[in-house]
Amino acid sequence: MPELSENDFAETEQWVDLGLSVLWAAYNVGASSPEEYGGYYAWGETEEKSSYTWKNYNLESFNGYEISGTSYDVAHVKWGGGARMPTFAEVKELLNNCTFKYGTYNGVKGDYVVGPNGNSIFLPKVGCHSVTGF
């Protein structure tokens, strides 16, 4: 797959080169800055819900875990263009080649992910929604 550049994305989105094989988003889907939490989405879904249960999990036709760049990829659907969630291999590359440092950004706790080239992104500690309705 070819490497994407800033020209592949909408002007309003920000992308960071961490010195890895792909660019990484500077903030979460649904956020407009690194410290904002963004939206909550179930795996493979592209809309938020008021509650998350197995009964309302909408993935009946889902066939696997690699959803990057598909209609199940919230970044691809919400941001368009070449935007997409990272693949499992790209997440592994991030984990294996970057340094994680706990800290705060504009008063929000989270992790700084520092790439081999010294550039960084901030991952806010946003929590999660619990699955109910077993």
Side-chain angles (χ1 to χ4, degrees):
M1 178 165 33
E3 186 172 325
L4 300 175
S5 70
E6 291 179 355
N7 295 330
D8 293 316
F9 303 100
E11 285 183 349
T12 58
E13 303 304 332
Q14 294 181 7
W15 304 94
V16 178
D17 179 359
L18 296 174
L20 303 173
S21 63
V22 295
L23 299 177
W24 285 79
Y27 44 82
N28 290 326
V29 173
S32 58
S33 65
E35 74 276 13
E36 290 182 10
Y37 294 172
Y40 283 101
Y41 302 92
W43 179 255
E45 294 187 359
T46 59
E47 297 299 326
E48 292 186 84
K49 301 177 186 180
S50 59
S51 69
Y52 293 82
T53 68
W54 285 115
K55 290 181 181 180
N56 74 5
Y57 190 46
N58 188 24
L59 213 50
E60 63 278 343
S61 63
F62 182 63
N63 187 12
Y65 292 103
E66 199 65 78
I67 63 173
S68 180
T70 72
S71 62
Y72 298 108
D73 175 344
V74 68
H76 181 68
V77 170
K78 297 291 186 185
W79 287 340
R84 60 177 178 77
M85 292 173 53
T87 64
F88 286 110
E90 291 161 351
V91 171
K92 186 176 179 180
E93 177 188 36
L94 180 86
L95 294 172
N96 289 336
N97 295 288
C98 294
T99 303
F100 288 72
K101 298 179 181 179
Y102 185 77
T104 59
Y105 182 79
N106 289 337
V108 176
K109 294 177 182 179
D111 287 301
Y112 288 92
V113 181
V114 183
N117 65 4
N119 293 339
S120 66
I121 57 175
F122 180 75
L123 303 177
K125 298 284 188 186
V126 299
C128 65
H129 278 283
S130 296
V131 176
T132 59
F134 286 101

